[in-house]
């Protein structure tokens, strides 16, 4: 009986010790929050959300994305950033044309013995060969080299970088484009978006001086084969005159892949 009583007493003692160890108390409110990956759960929950830019139209977005690349090319090769951007906007439909989307070709440069990737596209003739790039920045560099390395463009580099009108005219005379209104189109884009501001000083100063307005997105339409200003205006419920005014057009001529603003 004495042994049994001793065993029972030891059992009760051990059970009471375990019960005390198993008691869970609530953490005080002033205990630090557990940190995961450098920030607390509370901080993550209330962290501000970053908002992305929206633009008045595709052209303003294009300028904001590629303006620094154009300025870097200007510093390296002496081609005005305003001319590079205006050509990119015009040739690529503000980055929405087929060549720019499928081939990162922003300047409509054809193969001309090109050994890299290729894409075939209807231009002056059906299914002409155009250069294809892995990234748009290579298209900008190839555009600089295309002008710098060909003798027919030599007169361009005798002009001042601030003379964007002279550059626009000489590009047409040197045979860059067959469109007789090519210079006027470039000049119109440069003046409408004040791209000439990018031709002053270095990249840092020009970028600070040139500010893009941030507003709601406009509705655009990409010109397809067989489209006319009249058919596009009918489709979107506006007049031909309104369509011309929205896009700074002086004629009814259109190019396949050209991006038009159809609603302000």
């Amino acid at each position: 009986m004495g042994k049994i009583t001793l065993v029972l007493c030891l059992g009760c003692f051990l059970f009471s010790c375990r019960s005390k160890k198993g008691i869970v108390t609530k953490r005080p409110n002033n205990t630090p929050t557990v940190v995961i990956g450098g920030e607390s759960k509370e901080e993550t929950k209330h962290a501000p959300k970053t908002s992305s830019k929206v633009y008045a139209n595709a052209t303003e977005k294009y300028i904001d994305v590629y303006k620094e690349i154009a300025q870097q090319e200007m510093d390296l090769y002496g081609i005005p950033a305003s001319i590079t951007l205006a050509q990119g906007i015009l040739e690529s439909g503000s980055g929405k044309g087929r060549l720019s989307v499928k081939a990162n070709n922003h300047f409509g440069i054809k193969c001309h013995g090109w050994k890299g990737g290729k894409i075939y596209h209807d231009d002056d003739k059906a299914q002409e060969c155009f250069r294809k790039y892995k990234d748009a920045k290579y298209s900008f560099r190839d555009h600089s080299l295309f002008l710098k390395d060909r003798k027919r463009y030599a007169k361009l580099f005798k002009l001042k970088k601030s003379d964007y009108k002279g550059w626009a005219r000489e590009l047409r005379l040197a045979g860059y484009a067959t469109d007789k209104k090519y210079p006027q189109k470039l000049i119109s884009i440069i003046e409408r978006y004040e791209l000439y501001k990018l031709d002053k000083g270095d990249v840092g100063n020009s970028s600070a001086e040139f500010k893009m307005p941030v507003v709601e997105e406009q509705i655009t339409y990409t010109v397809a084969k067989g489209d006319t200003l009249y058919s596009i205006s009918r489709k979107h419920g506006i007049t031909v005159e309104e369509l011309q005014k929205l896009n700074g057009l002086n004629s009814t001529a259109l190019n396949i892949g050209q991006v038009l603003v159809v609603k302000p």
Side-chain angles (χ1 to χ4, degrees):
M1 287 295 294
K3 289 181 179 180
I4 293 172
T5 303
L6 180 61
V7 170
L8 289 173
C9 289
L10 285 171
C12 291
F13 176 78
L14 290 172
F15 179 79
S16 64
C17 289
R18 286 179 183 174
S19 297
K20 288 179 182 179
K21 288 181 181 179
I23 293 174
V24 178
T25 57
K26 290 185 180 180
R27 186 176 62 185
N29 290 334
N30 59 356
T31 304
T33 309
V34 176
V35 175
I36 300 173
E39 59 182 10
S40 71
K41 289 183 179 179
E42 287 296 319
E43 289 172 339
T44 305
K45 183 178 178 181
H46 299 292
K49 295 181 179 179
T50 55
S51 59
S52 57
K53 287 184 180 180
V54 290
Y55 302 89
N57 53 45
T59 301
E60 291 188 351
K61 181 178 180 181
Y62 186 94
I63 294 167
D64 200 28
V65 171
Y66 295 109
K67 63 184 179 184
E68 289 188 8
I69 293 177
Q71 288 176 308
Q72 289 166 3
E73 295 302 308
M74 176 178 67
D75 290 342
L76 288 171
Y77 297 97
I79 302 165
S82 61
I83 286 291
T84 299
L85 277 175
Q87 283 194 278
I89 290 164
L90 187 58
E91 299 286 349
S92 75
S94 298
K96 292 193 173 184
R98 180 174 179 268
L99 287 177
S100 57
V101 173
K102 298 288 185 181
N104 285 313
N105 189 332
H106 286 236
F107 298 92
I109 299 179
K110 297 178 182 179
C111 289
H112 300 297
W114 177 254
K115 295 181 180 180
K118 300 174 183 177
I119 186 173
Y120 294 89
H121 180 75
D122 291 346
D123 193 52
D124 296 326
K125 299 177 183 178
Q127 292 299 288
E128 291 191 83
C129 181
F130 288 83
R131 301 182 182 190
K132 186 176 183 179
Y133 308 93
K134 291 182 179 180
D135 191 283
K137 65 184 178 183
Y138 300 123
S139 178
F140 278 77
R141 175 56 51 85
D142 200 30
H143 169 262
S144 298
L145 295 172
F146 188 85
L147 297 182
K148 193 73 175 177
D149 294 344
R150 285 166 172 74
K151 291 183 180 179
R152 60 177 171 152
Y153 297 115
K155 288 184 180 179
L156 286 167
F157 297 92
K158 294 179 182 179
L159 300 171
K160 294 180 179 179
K161 286 187 291 186
S162 58
D163 185 12
Y164 62 88
K165 292 182 180 179
W167 277 79
R169 296 189 192 101
E170 188 57 42
L171 277 168
R172 166 73 177 84
L173 292 173
Y176 191 95
T178 56
D179 185 358
K180 292 181 180 179
K181 294 186 177 180
Y182 194 75
Q184 288 86 347
K185 289 179 179 179
L186 292 181
I187 292 168
S188 176
I189 292 169
I190 290 169
E191 293 181 346
R192 180 179 179 182
Y193 293 98
E194 300 182 340
L195 299 182
Y196 49 79
K197 291 182 178 179
L198 295 172
D199 299 335
K200 301 175 184 178
D202 58 20
V203 174
N205 290 338
S206 297
S207 295
E209 183 181 354
F210 186 86
K211 295 181 181 180
M212 297 298 302
V214 179
V215 290
E216 291 185 12
E217 182 77 21
Q218 286 182 333
I219 297 174
T220 59
Y221 175 79
T222 303
V223 177
K225 190 174 182 179
D227 279 336
T228 64
L229 281 181
Y230 179 72
S231 66
I232 296 170
S233 66
R234 286 285 301 274
K235 188 182 295 184
H236 296 280
I238 59 176
T239 66
V240 171
E241 290 74 17
E242 288 173 328
L243 192 56
Q244 287 177 309
K245 186 176 180 181
L246 280 173
N247 294 278
L249 302 175
N250 297 319
S251 70
T252 57
L254 295 174
N255 298 314
I256 296 174
Q258 183 176 351
V259 178
L260 297 175
V261 177
V262 292
K263 186 176 180 181

